[in-house]
Amino acid sequence: MTTTRFGSRWAMMLAMLGMAVGTGNIWRFPRIAAKNGGGEFLVAWIAFLLLWSVPLILLEFGLGRKTRSGPIRSFVALAGPRWAWSGAFVVCVASAIMCYYSVVAGWTLRYAVAAFGGELLGNGPGAFWAGFTSSALPVATHGVMLGLAAVVVVRGVGAIERVAMVLMPTLIALVAILVVRALMLPGAAEGVGYLFSVDWGALTNARIWIEALTQNAWDTGAGWGLVLCYAAYQREREDTALNAFLLPAGNNLISLLAGIMVFCTVFSVVPPLLERGATDPSLLRGLGGLEQAARDGEAFSAELMQTTVFAEGNTGITFVWMPELFGMIPGGQVLMALFFVALAVAAFTSLISMVELAARAFQDAGFRRERAIWWIAGVGFLLGLPSALHMGVLDNQDWVWSVSLMLSGLFYALAVGRYGAAKFRRETINHEHSDIRVGRWWDVVIRVVVPVEAAALAIWLLYQAWRDDPIGWMRPFGPGAVFSVGTVLLQVGLLVVILAVCNRRLAATAVEDSR
């Protein structure tokens, strides 16, 4: 059991906010919100904040305080030796994400440098993106970001704390500057209006709720095991419940601010360009379907925005659209540089927590921490190479392990149900140092609602995959299998089988080292 602790609540919350706030907040949230109607998505998103993220974060905070360990030993302590494999599953899923997430983090680093140097304003963001991703540079930036994260983690929780104390206030300040500038743009009011206006009838659309649940699982870090590892370093007298509410609230606030910044920029720049593009479509070069829309005389609308600006995926919005749009507003190059620095900071602080999670698992198993971290960085670099070299591989890995996050959350809920939800709440959440008392609602949500949510998402994904490709939806290999159910079942199933076979050894190692 470690005696290392965060120096203060402020330091711990900044480190945890750095863990939670990542690219999912700044580049994924605006796209998902736009494609699902704006305000109605926010309603579902807030609902699942309370019905998925907060309950699981409460669980992870309490479990970290109880065991002062990583997921494997924590699952053994909570549900018994037979559950060691499920704790290892949590570690493996987050580590698999780490391997390709560091590639994405490397992209943000390259773009931050390019934005400051004015490279994105030369040949056009689309050409720059194509040239960058077809080169070997993503391999180099992938290695740099993973190596820097390992350097921080190898120095211990004190280094993680010091990095968070510098980078997170910087990130918050950068986001605030970008939001204030975006709100000053002409047309910004329309963007804010779209984000926050609610069509209550649209809430009958199941897709909105599924997307809101998935976004919560991705951008808060609930159920990943990351909160658990950082919570193992919290001070004994910390208010567990208060911290567990503050973390997702702060995380989702940054998502909202990022959404405001993106929506205001889009609604300010695109409508006048679309009007002028009717006579000169070249103004919309590189902006996908907007050039054709201008030729056809189509007016800007929410539907057009969804089918052009936000239809090209996360990479299209962030690395092509946003640089193009920033280049069309006064002071855009400076704002673009700030945007990509903020994105790089968010990606890096999240990557640190993923390396820490893997390191903690090896440390709990009796490995020397420093050596384990460098092995993690080396193996993570090698496993991330296919994603750095081939976009299809990255898309596939993102699909497989993002779906698996729901299983991680489910395993937490089942394990605490086996231990006794009410007992766990009394012992680890409502302890003597917690001023906020969590009621029995948590028992019901963690035992019933969370498993139902995980099952509903799995059923929806199966249906969606079948609907989109009724012939090849179970195909595990080939070009059409990037987003198939077959590839998820193959990779996740293989992982589960391996961990189940190794369960006895995993449990024995966790128990031996805890004596």
Side-chain angles (χ1 to χ4, degrees):
M1 181 179 296
T2 182
T3 57
T4 306
R5 299 287 188 272
F6 283 112
S8 66
R9 169 177 288 172
W10 173 245
M12 182 185 72
M13 294 310 298
L14 283 177
M16 287 197 167
L17 196 59
M19 170 273 298
V21 175
T23 56
N25 302 73
I26 298 176
W27 77 354
R28 190 179 192 275
F29 173 81
R31 179 177 72 88
I32 300 301
K35 293 190 70 174
N36 290 278
E40 47 266 36
F41 172 81
L42 294 185
V43 172
W45 180 64
I46 292 171
F48 283 123
L49 173 67
L50 301 176
L51 295 175
W52 177 270
S53 298
V54 168
L56 284 173
I57 289 174
L58 277 165
L59 193 164
E60 290 195 62
F61 259 106
L63 191 56
R65 184 180 186 276
K66 175 182 174 64
T67 65
R68 303 292 180 182
S69 304
I72 300 175
R73 194 191 296 176
S74 293
F75 270 75
V76 170
L78 194 63
R82 293 183 179 180
W83 286 71
W85 72 272
S86 56
F89 180 87
V90 172
V91 174
C92 289
V93 169
S95 299
I97 292 173
M98 176 196 75
C99 294
Y100 71 82
Y101 190 87
S102 63
V103 174
V104 177
W107 296 348
T108 66
L109 176 64
R110 175 68 184 105
Y111 264 68
V113 173
F116 271 108
E119 296 177 72
L120 299 179
L121 302 178
N123 298 323
F128 183 89
W129 170 249
F132 170 60
T133 54
S134 62
S135 72
L137 274 176
V139 173
T141 54
H142 159 54
V144 168
M145 291 299 266
L146 193 55
L148 289 175
V151 168
V152 174
V153 176
V154 81
R155 295 175 180 273
V157 67
I160 295 174
E161 178 179 308
R162 289 190 295 273
V163 169
M165 292 285 281
V166 173
L167 293 186
M168 286 315 297
T170 301
L171 172 62
I172 294 169
L174 291 174
V175 170
I177 292 170
L178 290 167
V179 170
V180 170
R181 180 66 183 95
L183 287 171
M184 296 170 62
L185 294 172
E190 286 76 11
V192 174
Y194 178 80
L195 179 60
F196 290 100
S197 61
V198 180
D199 178 0
W200 296 102
L203 288 171
T204 58
N205 185 346
R207 183 172 62 87
I208 292 176
W209 294 89
I210 294 296
E211 293 281 12
L213 173 57
T214 307
Q215 180 63 24
N216 263 285
W218 178 257
D219 74 3
T220 62
W224 290 48
L226 305 175
V227 174
L228 167 65
C229 285
Y230 277 10
Y233 300 125
Q234 66 183 306
R235 297 177 302 170
E236 189 67 28
R237 300 177 65 86
E238 287 288 348
D239 189 330
T240 300
L242 177 60
N243 292 338
F245 280 102
L246 287 176
L247 175 60
N251 172 80
N252 282 23
L253 176 60
I254 291 180
S255 291
L256 276 177
L257 292 174
I260 291 170
M261 181 266 295
V262 171
F263 276 58
C264 289
T265 303
V266 169
F267 274 81
S268 173
V269 176
V270 175
L273 277 177
L274 192 62
E275 294 174 6
R276 291 156 56 196
T279 55
D280 184 6
S282 64
L283 288 169
L284 297 170
R285 68 191 187 284
L287 293 183
L290 279 184
E291 184 174 349
Q292 185 59 47
R295 292 180 186 273
D296 295 341
E298 188 172 349
F300 184 75
S301 64
E303 292 73 20
L304 179 62
M305 178 184 67
Q306 293 173 6
T307 57
T308 55
V309 181
F310 292 99
E312 299 185 27
N314 291 326
T315 54
I317 296 167
T318 307
F319 298 105
V320 178
W321 274 90
M322 292 308 296
E324 195 80 55
L325 297 180
F326 276 128
M328 297 174 182
I329 60 179
Q333 183 175 348
V334 174
L335 295 175
M336 188 194 312
L338 296 179
F339 173 78
F340 282 110
V341 169
L343 195 60
V345 168
F348 181 62
T349 53
S350 294
L351 185 60
I352 287 172
S353 65
M354 296 177 199
V355 176
E356 168 61 32
L357 170 61
R360 185 74 212 204
F362 278 97
Q363 183 180 341
D364 287 347
F367 290 86
R368 193 161 66 88
R369 179 181 171 89
E370 183 175 350
R371 179 177 296 177
I373 291 168
W374 292 118
W375 271 102
I376 290 164
V379 173
F381 174 76
L382 293 176
L383 293 179
L385 284 178
S387 295
L389 295 171
H390 303 285
M391 190 66 68
V393 174
L394 188 146
D395 289 339
N396 173 261
Q397 292 299 285
D398 187 42
W399 159 247
V400 170
W401 303 116
S402 293
V403 172
S404 302
L405 285 175
M406 304 306 296
L407 287 178
S408 294
L410 174 63
F411 291 157
Y412 273 107
L414 295 177
V416 82
R418 180 176 175 83
Y419 182 83
K423 178 183 177 183
F424 182 88
R425 174 171 53 84
R426 290 193 302 268
E427 292 177 354
T428 65
I429 299 176
N430 292 342
H431 55 79
E432 65 273 20
H433 302 300
S434 285
D435 295 325
I436 296 178
R437 316 303 288 181
V438 176
R440 293 180 180 177
W441 64 268
W442 183 84
D443 307 352
V444 176
V445 171
I446 209 69
R447 292 182 60 191
V448 179
V449 178
V450 168
V452 168
E453 290 169 337
L457 180 61
I459 293 170
W460 172 263
L461 291 172
L462 289 170
Y463 163 73
Q464 193 175 47
W466 170 81
R467 182 196 62 191
D468 294 342
D469 187 6
I471 297 176
W473 70 292
M474 284 297 291
R475 185 186 300 121
F477 301 108
V482 171
F483 299 111
S484 74
V485 173
T487 189
V488 174
L489 295 178
L490 176 64
Q491 295 182 59
V492 176
L494 183 61
L495 174 62
V496 170
V497 169
I498 292 173
L499 294 178
V501 170
C502 298
N503 183 76
R504 181 174 296 180
R505 181 55 187 161
L506 289 169
T509 302
V511 171
E512 287 169 6
D513 195 57
S514 62
R515 288 173 182 170

